[in-house]
Amino acid sequence: MAAIPAVALLAASGSDEANAQTTAAVNALAASGSVDEAKLMEPGALPDQVIGDANAPVTIVEYASMTCPHCASFHEHTFPALDDKYIKTGKVKFILREFPLDPRAEAGFMLARCSDNKYYPMVDVLFKQQMNWAAVQDARTALLNIAKLAGFTQESFEACLTDQKLLDDVRAVRAKGAELGVTATPTFFINGKKYSGAMSIEQMSAIIDPLL
């Protein structure tokens, strides 16, 4: 899993120091590569879960793992601001794609895909509750308890997690990400340029604003 970019944002005692720190943060946002946007947006094994204006000037594709702490941190601390500032205002189209790092992450994504068009709410709950299922001994029971709150029954839960085609498709989405150069999570492609790590809203704004 990717670490947050090592930018020391210490408390500033004056404006010059604050500006220097801001500059350092922006400098840390250099893209680590790029991909052909047409290839990035090619249909995959599973339909993209798109939120935002289809014609937004900026497209963000995130590859994440449900058991990745940095991914959970991004979705808890940065995504709400990204949603309010850019997605709901029509400036950004956002797509989350599956890049599971282990079987538990695969199970989490499968449940999100089975959640009756509640993909993002289910993802949000699983990230917020990550320590309650991803790091416990009996993850299956923990996931079942969370899934029941989302409307699953024991039967629909079992049916989802034993759906071999869905598992194969989730793995195919990960394989496509690997072909695009994803090696860690979270990895973001912003208008085709690649960035790794759980960025803050300030860091994302530094990338997005010049594209608007």
Side-chain angles (χ1 to χ4, degrees), residues 37 41 50-61 82-83 85-95 189-192 208 211-212:
E37 289 187 70
M41 301 309 296
V50 182
I51 51 176
D53 188 337
N55 298 313
V58 178
T59 297
I60 299 177
V61 177
L82 178 71
D83 190 24
K85 187 175 181 181
Y86 295 106
I87 299 173
K88 290 177 180 176
T89 57
K91 299 174 183 177
V92 163
K93 175 174 67 177
F94 183 88
I95 299 167
F189 291 95
I190 303 178
N191 280 8
I208 296 168
L211 302 174
L212 299 177

Side-chain angles (χ1 to χ4, degrees), residues 8 17 29 53 79 87 114 141 163 165 210:
E17 185 176 352
L29 299 174
D53 188 337
F79 185 80
I87 299 173
C114 292
T141 298
D163 186 338
K165 184 180 185 305

Side-chain angles (χ1 to χ4, degrees), residues 53-195:
D53 188 337
N55 298 313
V58 178
T59 297
I60 299 177
V61 177
E62 177 194 5
Y63 281 90
S65 176
M66 289 306 312
T67 53
C68 161
H70 297 298
C71 302
S73 177
F74 171 78
H75 279 270
E76 182 175 358
H77 300 294
T78 301
F79 185 80
L82 178 71
D83 190 24
D84 287 341
K85 187 175 181 181
Y86 295 106
I87 299 173
K88 290 177 180 176
T89 57
K91 299 174 183 177
V92 163
K93 175 174 67 177
F94 183 88
I95 299 167
L96 175 65
R97 289 183 184 162
E98 295 86 349
F99 199 86
L101 297 175
D102 51 63
R104 293 186 180 195
E106 291 176 339
F109 277 128
M110 291 171 74
L111 290 171
R113 286 285 180 174
C114 292
S115 60
D116 294 330
N117 298 317
K118 298 175 184 175
Y119 181 85
Y120 281 102
M122 190 66 179
V123 164
D124 184 56
V125 169
L126 288 172
F127 273 136
K128 286 181 178 177
Q129 296 289 325
Q130 188 183 77
M131 293 305 297
N132 295 328
W133 64 271
V136 300
Q137 184 172 357
D138 185 2
R140 191 176 190 86
T141 298
L143 279 173
L144 174 59
N145 291 335
I146 294 171
K148 283 182 175 179
L149 296 175
F152 283 81
T153 64
Q154 176 82 41
E155 292 73 20
S156 62
F157 175 81
E158 296 291 345
C160 180
L161 294 188
T162 55
D163 186 338
Q164 186 62 46
K165 184 180 185 305
L166 177 57
L167 176 58
D168 291 342
D169 288 345
V170 167
R171 290 174 174 173
V173 173
R174 172 179 171 149
K176 177 179 178 179
E179 290 175 4
L180 294 170
V182 178
T183 59
T185 57
T187 291
F188 301 91
F189 291 95
I190 303 178
N191 280 8
K193 292 187 178 181
K194 178 184 172 186
Y195 302 86

Side-chain angles (χ1 to χ4, degrees), residues 77-78 81-83 85-86 199-206:
H77 300 294
T78 301
L82 178 71
D83 190 24
K85 187 175 181 181
Y86 295 106
M199 295 183 284
S200 67
I201 188 60
E202 292 79 15
Q203 291 171 317
M204 297 205 86
S205 294

